[in-house]
Amino acid sequence: MLDWLRIGDFLDAATLEHWRRVVRDAEGGAATIMSAQPGGRVAPQMRRSTRLTPGAGIEQAVLARIEARRGDIETWHGAALGACEPPQFLRYDPGDYFVAHQDGNTPLVHDASRHRRVSFVIALSDPADYAGGALVLHGGRDEPNRREMLTPSAGTLVAFRAETTHEVAIVTHGKRYTIASWLLAPGV
Ligand SMILES: O=C(O)CCC(=O)C(=O)O
Ligand SMILES: [Fe+2]
């Protein structure tokens, strides 16, 4: 079953403006995929985007904001959740994408991703700021051809189960900024 949670008022206007300014000015490097190599591996055939390092202050602010909405996310998930991973701040420039993948909770993968239960993405850009770049959720085994193309407005959080196959369509124009993170199983 494919379902997701959309929290449209996740960020108020002032916070959104502040976070947008912070990511716009942040330095970064090529985003990696998880691998046996510490820190992951750059794999442009799977993922092209920039992971920004805007500083610990904004990481803490994101985590605090998540805590404030934890109840909503757990209600949708139908079960308690544990810790939140450090958020990743991402920029997609024209030509950037992330091919279809699962973030975790997939039985055959035994790395740290197995503890992830809920993935979430916070949109910092409005769909009008870029072209392409939809967050595409794929139907599961029961509806393999289903695709949901999400283009959330800035300040919206979208959450989905970590095992949901999803991708970021290629950005063809502008810049797409997001924050991605994961809520883990309780007790991890
Ligand atoms: O930037 C996004 O919309 C999604 C990023 C993503 O799927 C990931 O980091 O695993
Ligand atoms: Fe993902």
Side-chain angles (χ1 to χ4, degrees):
M1 184 187 67
L2 175 59
D3 69 339
W4 65 95
L5 172 70
R6 180 191 295 260
I7 303 180
D9 63 348
F10 185 73
L11 295 182
D12 59 87
T15 307
L16 173 62
E17 204 37 54
H18 176 222
W19 291 12
R20 281 167 74 114
R21 204 167 341 107
V22 170
V23 295
R24 202 184 52 220
D25 296 339
E27 303 286 317
T32 55
I33 59 162
M34 263 195 186
S35 79
Q37 190 177 303
R41 180 166 64 86
V42 175
Q45 70 280 25
M46 295 171 77
R47 178 181 207 189
R48 238 187 77 170
S49 62
T50 300
R51 181 163 171 191
L52 304 164
T53 45
I58 183 147
E59 273 195 27
Q60 289 308 316
V62 173
L63 292 173
R65 207 82 192 180
I66 287 297
E67 286 311 313
R69 304 306 286 263
R70 169 182 287 277
D72 295 333
I73 300 172
E74 290 184 343
T75 299
W76 164 76
H77 180 59
L81 292 159
C84 189
E85 274 188 45
Q88 300 191 4
F89 299 83
L90 301 168
R91 187 184 74 224
Y92 296 77
D93 294 312
D96 287 358
Y97 56 85
F98 198 162
V99 301
H101 65 282
Q102 295 167 288
D103 289 342
N105 197 23
T106 54
L108 293 178
V109 178
H110 289 275
D111 62 18
S113 73
R114 73 187 187 280
H115 301 304
R116 292 171 169 175
R117 290 295 175 272
V118 171
S119 301
F120 60 85
V121 176
I122 303 165
L124 295 181
S125 303
D126 255 319
D129 300 340
Y130 58 90
L135 173 64
V136 185
L137 303 185
H138 291 224
R141 231 189 293 221
D142 52 338
E143 36 185 7
N145 296 321
R146 182 166 169 203
R147 298 288 181 273
E148 294 291 340
M149 313 265 291
L150 308 183
T151 50
S153 54
T156 297
L157 175 143
V158 173
F160 48 92
R161 291 174 216 294
E163 63 272 25
T164 304
T165 300
H166 60 283
E167 63 188 295
V168 179
I170 189 163
V171 170
T172 56
H173 176 80
K175 289 183 190 298
R176 174 188 188 271
Y177 289 95
T178 56
I179 301 171
S181 190
W182 299 271
L183 284 156
L184 307 180
V188 173

